[in-house]
Amino acid sequence: MLTGCQHGRNGRFLYLAPDMNKEIVVSGIRSTGFLHLGNYFGAIHNYVKMQQDYNCYFFVADYHSLTTHPDPKDLKENVYRVVAENIASGIDPEKAALYAQSDVPEIPELYLILNMLAYKGELEKVPTFKDKVRLSPNNVNAGLLTYPVLMAADILIHRAVKVPVGKDQEQHLEMARNFAVRFNSRYGDFFPEPNVFRFDQNTVKIMSLDGEGKMSKSENTNATIFLSDDDDTIRKKIMKAKTDSGPTAPDSEMPEYIQNLFLLMHMVSKPEVTDTFRSAFNNCHIRYGDMKKQLAEDMVAFVKPIREKAAELQKDEAQIKRILRNGAEKARASAAETIAGARKLIGINYY
Ligand code: TYM
């Protein structure tokens, strides 16, 4: 069966039926700020590799972003930027459905249904919820508490089996599996259990360049490299990355912040370049200044085409609108089928 879409006479994409033999993949990114290397290597990098061989649904999690009450006038620009940055990173909207979460009303419907199977106690124990409570004690809203339920609805609405995400989302995936199992045991087998997916097995965590926690859209922005950063900003941020005076014994264990620099180098530099610096580390003559200079240049070369393409796309509102509309159409077709099946099993089936 054919998949993807073709251009119709009026210039709109015409979606063809998804290939039923392909496994279903779902993942999302919140529209809360600029995308960074953590988003890229933790998630988008895998999306790009998966879009050919899987039936992919990638979305902008704009409802999730409402937990922190963004200014309404910023929302559209933020959503458009995430779409543009995804495409500039290699997502092909003709292969994968790329849509806004709020364009698929079946998601909040499933969220409501799953909320009946989610317990306050388990939601309060989620580490990301506890962090939010600690950081913003005056904004502990119910949306924050039920964040993992909405995430489960995002995934289960397409009955996905694979979810490419970074390490920070593993616990949320475990909850999505629990909700799927609970639904199935109450109403009958319906949802497959979704699993975290990465090509190279380990889920990635990109640390902040100052060695303090993970790279994030909102914290330590001077130690986060954004896909929109210009060349000089990238160089400056990398040259300021945390290092130390180097190992004093051969084959020492690497501190996490040095491992992080090697991980980034592994992602953007030639293998022989990374090998040279790794041997220098193991032999105790590494010069971190040289390593950072090399990494900065390789990172500039890596980010530049993404930044330029995303900026160009963002100027083309008509194109972004078309992509979102077509992505929503494809996502809704799949979501409507799931909701119909779930309603029937629950007994919401009156006519
Ligand atoms: P968000 O928007 O925080 O991040 C989007 C993706 O980027 C990954 N990521 C990282 N990976 C490695 N290192 C980092 N420093 C790093 N920072 C972010 C995240 O793991 C994620 O894959 N709740 C989700 C959005 C979401 C979602 C979903 C994801 C909503 N519904 C359903 C998958 C399926 C979030 O806030 O991601």
Side-chain angles (χ1 to χ4, degrees):
M1 198 185 286
L2 284 168
T3 58
C5 53
Q6 294 177 336
H7 291 277
R9 263 179 306 173
N10 58 3
R12 289 195 59 185
F13 297 119
L14 295 177
Y15 274 105
L16 303 174
D19 186 337
M20 295 308 167
N21 296 320
K22 289 182 176 177
E23 284 185 305
I24 300 173
V25 170
V26 167
S27 196
I29 298 183
R30 260 175 315 147
S31 47
T32 40
F34 291 75
L35 299 194
H36 52 74
L37 294 183
N39 300 131
Y40 184 89
F41 292 116
I44 301 174
H45 175 67
N46 283 289
Y47 300 177
V48 175
K49 286 190 182 176
M50 296 179 96
Q51 60 186 346
Q52 189 66 39
D53 299 325
Y54 296 87
N55 196 358
C56 293
Y57 296 90
F58 298 132
F59 66 95
V60 187
D62 52 346
Y63 275 148
H64 275 106
S65 79
L66 299 185
T67 52
T68 49
H69 310 139
D71 191 327
K73 70 176 165 24
D74 295 336
L75 206 59
K76 178 170 152 186
E77 191 184 326
N78 283 343
V79 169
Y80 279 23
R81 192 178 46 245
V82 176
V83 171
E85 289 183 327
N86 267 281
I87 294 172
S89 301
I91 296 296
D92 179 350
E94 301 202 10
K95 291 194 183 123
L98 187 56
Y99 57 97
Q101 185 184 31
S102 60
D103 272 337
V104 183
E106 291 81 2
I107 295 173
E109 183 171 348
L110 184 59
Y111 165 62
L112 183 144
I113 291 169
L114 296 176
N115 265 321
M116 313 305 170
L117 302 170
Y119 295 99
K120 178 171 161 275
E122 67 182 336
L123 295 170
E124 279 171 343
K125 277 194 219 132
V126 176
T128 44
F129 176 69
K130 289 202 219 155
D131 283 350
K132 292 270 158 63
V133 172
R134 194 171 39 81
L135 291 171
S136 329
N138 298 324
N139 181 33
V140 186
N141 60 60
L144 219 43
L145 182 70
T146 56
Y147 187 104
V149 189
L150 180 54
M151 216 172 127
D154 296 327
I155 297 166
L156 300 180
I157 198 70
H158 300 300
R159 302 212 269 162
V161 290
K162 289 194 162 75
V163 186
V165 282
K167 202 165 183 51
D168 58 320
Q169 300 295 322
E170 279 177 348
Q171 170 112 36
H172 290 156
L173 255 286
E174 194 182 320
M175 299 193 74
R177 281 194 293 280
N178 290 342
F179 299 141
V181 168
R182 251 174 244 169
F183 182 98
N184 292 348
S185 61
R186 182 166 293 273
Y187 298 114
D189 243 4
F190 186 59
F191 291 116
E193 289 181 43
N195 279 293
V196 171
F197 182 78
R198 278 190 64 77
F199 278 95
D200 48 9
Q201 304 304 318
N202 299 317
T203 46
V204 156
K205 174 179 165 190
I206 304 290
M207 281 184 71
S208 172
L209 293 175
D210 58 9
E212 305 286 327
K214 63 167 190 169
M215 225 178 238
S216 119
K217 293 187 196 121
S218 51
E219 288 161 44
N220 308 342
T221 48
N222 284 330
T224 292
I225 295 182
F226 295 98
L227 298 180
S228 53
D229 278 346
D230 63 34
D231 296 354
D232 277 346
T233 306
I234 295 173
R235 288 191 184 100
K236 274 189 206 128
K237 286 180 177 175
I238 292 188
M239 293 316 288
K240 273 203 245 145
K242 178 173 176 174
T243 52
D244 50 35
S245 51
T248 48
D251 301 315
S252 300
E253 201 179 313
M254 267 185 205
E256 249 197 324
Y257 49 89
I258 300 295
Q259 277 181 39
N260 193 47
L261 292 182
F262 271 101
L263 176 61
L264 292 176
M265 189 169 239
H266 168 72
M267 300 293 197
V268 300
S269 304
K270 292 198 181 113
E272 55 272 26
V273 170
T274 315
D275 290 347
T276 306
F277 284 104
R278 200 179 292 281
S279 323
F281 177 90
N282 288 333
N283 299 326
C284 307
H285 33 71
I286 187 149
R287 291 158 60 135
Y288 288 128
D290 291 349
M291 180 181 176
K292 289 200 276 190
K293 258 189 217 148
Q294 176 73 49
L295 177 60
E297 290 318 310
D298 292 339
M299 192 60 78
V300 163
F302 178 82
V303 171
K304 191 184 169 95
I306 298 179
R307 177 185 68 229
E308 291 178 349
K309 187 164 180 199
E312 202 177 300
L313 257 165
Q314 264 174 274
K315 285 188 220 143
D316 190 352
E317 280 212 8
Q319 164 87 336
I320 300 216
K321 276 186 197 159
R322 194 160 55 236
I323 289 166
L324 281 174
R325 229 181 264 126
N326 287 299
E329 217 171 281
K330 191 180 178 196
R332 285 205 69 185
S334 142
E337 247 181 63
T338 304
I339 274 295
R343 280 173 153 248
K344 204 166 167 189
L345 285 171
I346 294 168
I348 306 174
N349 186 25
Y350 310 137
Y351 309 107

